[in-house]
């Protein structure tokens, strides 16, 4: 166990200062303190790990059993490989087991707490405390400067000096949980490029009156679909909401969507729509289209889709061309969202500190020695499903081993 930060002539000195007591910062703190380094974690919020507590609907989807570099978006796709390989999902699962935290796989390798997300925060805080890392909350960082020995910070609680400074302040999503652009500001101060940021894993909004009415009427209805955009596809649920489109399929594809792009939604991902409609026309010529669709979707959704695309009538009355057009709508429904709900509800921020100027092994800045960036502040963003926390653990651990 390391000794706490030392006060000399009104300056608190520590080997390592970590700004941000979130997932990445706490993992870095427990790892570095476990090596005997004096670690001080500073956060402006009144509580550590607020996003962990909110995550996974309160149960924290803390990792994914199938984590692969391909589950991450970055302008530098190779960057995440080294850290992910050196601290894997299995390493975090071992830590979860060490603390007897019960968990389960929900689907697709996504691991959630059986009880509450606070189990994960608690285990991180216990590890930090046992290893001697100190956490100071309600502390605003006012200024940072480089010194011969490392870095010196002016904070609302006084001056702090350290050899290694770790920026773990996350992205811009959910400002009410303490998110700020502080990490980007520090990166720019020390000569780093920051790639444009935008909200990811975020619901879509619609303004087209017909589509808006459909979404509103079907609010709360979920349907299995295959959604595609910019050569990326996800097979998951789509959820209609009063504002537009949400659910895991839409959150996933939102990270690949840019303003003006159309989404292609296949509402019959397990069948060939035209073959199915033509077969039904031959077998059940008198059944109405909306009745047939009501066997696959809810009756309400079937009726509204018919109103949106074509008049519902007995199948025998559709010409081959009309049937083909309906099949096209069902399997390749094209719609252009007006936008997204933005950082207010986004789970993550895409873009951020350019990883081409950061060591992929240690997370150290290539512009300013002793400065490190970890977690979501970097231009590494995971898919939905526990990947973003796995990146926070892996990058936090990589830095924690060397700071
Ligand atoms: P994080 O945001 O966790 O921590 C940053 C810390 O820095 C905060 O404590 C903040 O207060 C502090 N800070 C910011 N600015 C500061 C400043 N100027 N001065 C001092 N401190 C400052 N991921 C996943 O894998 N599984 C899941 O289930 C979910 N669920 C989920 C739900 C919701 C509602 C959200 C918003 C997000 C998720 N995520 C998720 C994403 C996940 O929460 C996110 O990727 C990680 O928390 C990122 O970890 P970081 O430590 O990088 O930042």
């Amino acid at each position: 166990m390391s000794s706490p930060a030392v006060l000399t002539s009104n300056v608190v000195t520590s080997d390592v200062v970590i700004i941000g007591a979130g997932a990445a910062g706490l993992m870095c703190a427990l790892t570095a303190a476990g090596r005997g380094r004096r670690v001080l974690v500073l956060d402006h919020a009144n509580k550590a790990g607020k996003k962990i507590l909110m995550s996974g609907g309160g149960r924290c989807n803390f990792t994914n059993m199938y984590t692969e570099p391909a589950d991450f978006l970055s302008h530098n796709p190779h960057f995440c490989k080294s850290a992910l390989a050196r601290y894997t999902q299995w390493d975090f699962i071992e830590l979860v087991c060490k603390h007897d935290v019960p968990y389960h796989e929900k689907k697709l390798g996504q691991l959630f707490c059986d009880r509450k997300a606070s189990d994960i925060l608690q285990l991180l805080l216990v590890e930090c405390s046992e290893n001697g890392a100190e956490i100071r909350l309600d502390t605003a960082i006012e200024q940072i400067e480089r010194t011969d020995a490392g870095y010196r910070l002016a904070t609302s609680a006084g001056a702090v000096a350290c050899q290694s400074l770790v920026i773990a302040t996350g992205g811009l999503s959910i400002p009410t949980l303490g998110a700020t652009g502080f990490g980007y500001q520090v990166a720019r101060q020390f000569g780093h490029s920051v790639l444009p940021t935008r909200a990811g894993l975020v619901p879509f909004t619609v303004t087209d009156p017909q589509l808006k009415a459909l979404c509103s009427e079907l609010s709360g209805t979920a349907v299995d679909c295959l959604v595609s955009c910019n050569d990326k596809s996800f097979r998951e649920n789509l959820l209609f909401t009063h504002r537009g489109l949400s659910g895991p399929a839409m959150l996933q594809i939102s990270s690949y969507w840019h303003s003006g792009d159309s989404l292609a939604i296949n509402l019959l991902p397990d069948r060939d729509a035209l073959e199915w409609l033509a077969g039904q026309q031959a077998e059940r010529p008198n059944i109405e289209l909306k009745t047939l669709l009501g066997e696959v979707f809810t009756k309400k959704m079937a009726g509204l889709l018919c109103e949106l695309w074509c008049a519902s009538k007995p199948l025998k009355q559709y010409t081959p061309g009309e049937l083909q057009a309906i099949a096209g709508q069902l399997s390749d429904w094209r719609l252009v969202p007006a936008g997204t709900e933005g950082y207010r509800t986004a789970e993550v921020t895409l873009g951020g500190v350019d990883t081409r100027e950061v060591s992929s092994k240690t997370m150290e800045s290539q512009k300013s020695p002793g400065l490190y960036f970890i977690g979501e502040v970097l231009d590494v963003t995971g898919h939905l499903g526990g990947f973003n926390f796995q990146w926070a653990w892996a990058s936090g651990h990589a830095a924690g081993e060397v700071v």
Side-chain angles (χ1 to χ4, degrees), residues 18-26 42-64 111-112 137 139-141 167-174 177-183 185 201 343-349 374-378 380-393 395:
I18 300 169
I19 308 181
L26 294 176
L42 303 175
D43 201 298
H44 66 160
N46 58 358
K47 200 170 186 166
K50 284 191 181 181
K51 272 195 192 163
I52 298 176
L53 294 174
M54 284 281 289
S55 66
R59 292 248 166 102
C60 186
N61 178 192
F62 57 81
T63 194
N64 192 297
L111 301 187
F112 284 76
L137 302 170
T139 305
I141 317 302
I167 307 300
T169 45
L172 295 167
S173 51
I174 324 239
L177 291 180
T180 67
F182 180 81
Q185 214 177 294
L201 301 180
Y343 294 120
R344 192 179 58 81
T345 60
E347 280 200 15
V348 287
T349 302
I374 57 173
E376 203 182 310
V377 72
L378 286 164
V380 176
T381 309
H383 288 167
L384 187 77
F387 303 103
N388 285 296
F389 278 135
Q390 188 54 41
W391 172 245
W393 314 138
S395 58

Side-chain angles (χ1 to χ4, degrees), residues 312-367:
S312 177
K313 52 190 182 181
L315 289 188
K316 65 183 177 194
Q317 293 180 15
Y318 290 104
T319 65
E322 285 171 332
L323 220 53
Q324 194 161 13
I326 298 164
Q329 293 285 18
L330 286 167
S331 60
D332 191 17
W333 181 21
R334 296 288 170 126
L335 51 91
V336 182
T340 70
E341 290 184 9
Y343 294 120
R344 192 179 58 81
T345 60
E347 280 200 15
V348 287
T349 302
L350 292 146
V353 177
D354 191 340
T355 58
R356 288 167 288 207
E357 297 162 349
V358 175
S359 159
S360 63
K361 296 210 166 38
T362 62
M363 307 293 138
E364 186 174 12
S365 157
Q366 288 167 1
K367 302 270 176 185

Side-chain angles (χ1 to χ4, degrees), residues 9-28:
S9 58
N10 291 330
V11 179
V12 172
T13 61
S14 190
D15 296 331
V16 183
V17 166
I18 300 169
I19 308 181
L26 294 176
M27 174 53 82
C28 184

Side-chain angles (χ1 to χ4, degrees), residues 265-283:
I265 300 175
N266 184 350
L267 292 171
L268 295 175
D270 285 326
R271 46 187 127 191
D272 180 312
L274 183 57
E275 210 173 273
W276 176 65
L277 284 174
Q280 292 296 312
Q281 190 181 44
E283 271 174 45

